[in-house]
Amino acid sequence: MERNLPKNYDPKDFEDRLYQEWQDNDCFKSEVNKDKESFTIVMPPPNITGQLHMGHALDDTLQDILIRWKRMDGFEALWIPGTDHASIATEVKVVDRIKSETGKTKYEVGREEFLRRAWDWKDEFGGKIVNQVKKLGASCDWEKERFTMDAGCNKAVTKFFVELYNQGHIYRGNRIINWCPDCKTTLSDAEVEHEDQEGNFWHIKYPIKDSDEFLEIATTRPETMLGDSGVAVHPEDERYAHLVGKTAILPLVGRELIIVADDYVDKDFGTGAVKMTPAHDPNDFEVGKRHNLEEINVMNDDATMNSLAGKYEGMDRYECRKAIVDDLREEGYLMHIKKHDHAVGTCYRCHSVVEPRLSLQWFVKMDELSKPAIDVLKKGDLEFVPDKFDKTYLQWLENIRDWCISRQLWWGHQIPAYYCQDCGEIIVAEKAPTHCSKCNSTNIEQDEDVLDTWFSSGLWPFETLGWPEKTEELDYYYPTSVLVTGYDIIFFWVVRMVFSAMFCMNEKPFSHVLVHGLVRDAEGKKMSKSLGNGIDPLVIIDQYGADALRFTLATGNSPGNDMRFYTERVEFARNFNNKLWNASRFVFMNLEDESLLENLTREAVEKDFTLADKWIISRANGVVKEVTHNMDKFELGMALQKAYEFTWSEYCDWYIEMVKPRLYGEDRDAKRAALYTLTYVLEKILKLLHPFIPFITEEIYSYLPTVEGYIIRAEYPHYDENDNMQIEEEKMDLIMNGIRSVRNVRTEMNVPPSKKAKTIIVPTVDKKQAMEDGKEYFKSLASASDVEIKDDKIGIPEDAVSVVIDGVEIFIPLDELVDFEKEKERLNKEKKKAISEIKRVEGKLNNPGFMNKAPDKLVEEEKQKKEKYEEILKTIEERLAKFN
């Protein structure tokens, strides 16, 4: 094969090709293997109506990082992909398509034809988002891909419903639900978004029967007064004690309203008297149940007024509101209007204002089901990362209401409830009954409604592994390891997965929930179609490559926090990839002599290791330890940052420059030691970076002559005590510090790198060997024509420029090249800095609070700093004295 990489880094040359190779070679495949520990992630299934957006890209990038890391680290890693049927969203799309193609409604085409068209939609669009996820590099086991309405999931959902029903956790009843008049279906509490809107409080006069008295009632929804069946006051409100049990007259309608006393009323809010509309308000519904108030539903499904609204029948709710207010004003019942801004519930899909209304629906009783889900977190079996989201999870569960699970839609899991048309018996069963169990009639019809999408996706972690069957996969891979999700669906989805798992499996669905934030635009605004500020991940991938996008998303993310997306950061990521590419090309260019590669092992070359070789091997080993530590704590952005900094700065900018003289020299043994170290560390770098930027690392890895196979299957690096060379690291740190200081001085004096100058080093005894070892590096990296190590300053030219670092003085006789006035100015700046540091340290050491509370080790460190800065100051003053 070609020994070297192409000259230019172009992701289009290999990203699609490599993904296909990985798939063709089953690199993503996972099978039950009892010799390995499993690591499992289930992908939050994207909607079949959707397109990959930045939220998906972040979600999938974080999951893929974890899966690739654990796969390399010896785990049997399984990432299960899938898509969600998204009942409301998909039904809206299909209804619109039917309307545009045929001019008909879904009712006119009928349920059977509608569902056929919905499945056609799924076949057409379901695969599109999957292909987009693949462009990102997602290493899912695509053979195990699932759809939330496939046969297995349908069986699981049906089983779950029937078991909940049989154990008394599901009931059918008339209760207040959230109704979307546009989607014409119920919504769960979690599907209602609250928006602050400007509104009014209309204060209305409710006369007391057979009396001159009246009650002042305030409402934000005058149209619902047509359904009033009572008035409530607080039992301890002395203002109204004499009215309890009497009746008020409903304005415009004339209906008699019983006045009841109930603790629900806040006597200090408003007038302390509240109209009761049990069919249109959840709190009024509960009060109504306690006092046997009539439930009067005055609205149709589309939020127009029905026949019980009298003369307002047929009006839209807002049209009716205006008419009622006008009539109240005309007849003298409207007392006054006050501005009132309040949170209004809207549909999470179409954003229409939700109407609370009484409806016959199916509900899950949450009081008992929520308890195990609370306990599993409090016991520590389930952990949120970061743990601040414990509060969000518990707050939702501890205040949860019964969950309305029926939806007036056709696309979804049809409720497995059957009604006998002759005797009214309700039969809940996994299979459709042939006859009524009560009257033996065969005239049976299934409930037309479907289940809430979240009812089915709540089973995702275990239904995808075969539940309700006791499969080998379920036994091996469950519970799953990590759920990666945004904080915006903790109550939508996470809560439901946990209580569903505790009910079905008696075990948590996952051990950790890694919570990420939203991807916002450069100004911090939420990306949305309406604002036009969304950035298409596929456009970014086409322009910069998937690796650059993944790098950007990973480094910009910290658990639980939103991130801002800048194109400049993608360019920076691409530049890093380009740097890695070019550094690798340089390494491979020097491997073209095949004879140098023979027996290129540690044992064969170790005797020829230089200080630089030992330093970079030891630093690579340390970075492996640090990166692994961060990965274990789900600090993926920090892990990548450390791997990036090591690669760019220490390996590319320092080590490669250090080895060039040996690579270009004639000493074959020295060259082989350098080549071994270059490839040994590059291999580690590629493996550390692979989970984050898989394509470029795989492509470069394929050119490494010292390895075989795919990097995706390679072993992840582990810390090795044998590679820990602390002394060499300390020596090289000192040398690099010296080289930086010399470079800085030359830069300040505008001395070009081509101008060589003798360098004289005067180290303390303990630093002498390090400086001896660093001679060659000063020559190659600090433009030194010659390096002399001296025990004292005798004979050093008066005009020499000095650099002072810890335990070392470096002198450069620059003769006429130096502006001595500028040198004095520079030394005075260094003097001022040293004095400032001494004062800072002395401030700490003279502070009783610090001295009494700080550990002895910290106090000792500060004392050592003081000594160091005092030594530096002394040296600077000596240098300044020479200019006087």
Side-chain angles (χ1 to χ4, degrees), residues 423-450:
C423 73
E425 178 73 359
I426 299 176
I427 305 160
V428 172
E430 291 181 47
K431 292 184 178 180
T434 55
H435 62 278
C436 174
S437 54
K438 188 174 181 181
C439 72
N440 215 34
S441 168
T442 57
N443 188 15
I444 296 170
E445 291 184 7
Q446 186 173 357
D447 195 309
E448 289 200 346
D449 289 351
V450 299

Side-chain angles (χ1 to χ4, degrees), residues 310-329:
K311 71 173 188 175
Y312 306 101
E313 181 181 3
M315 289 185 181
D316 170 79
R317 54 183 164 171
Y318 299 120
E319 182 187 0
C320 176
R321 177 181 295 180
K322 184 177 184 302
I324 284 177
V325 170
D326 289 344
D327 289 347
L328 288 170
R329 183 182 290 111

Side-chain angles (χ1 to χ4, degrees), residues 72 251 308 344 380 543 641 649 671 696 738 868:
M72 293 174 75
L308 295 179
V344 175
Q543 192 171 354
Q641 187 70 24
S649 177
K671 189 180 292 190
I696 186 173
K868 183 177 88 171

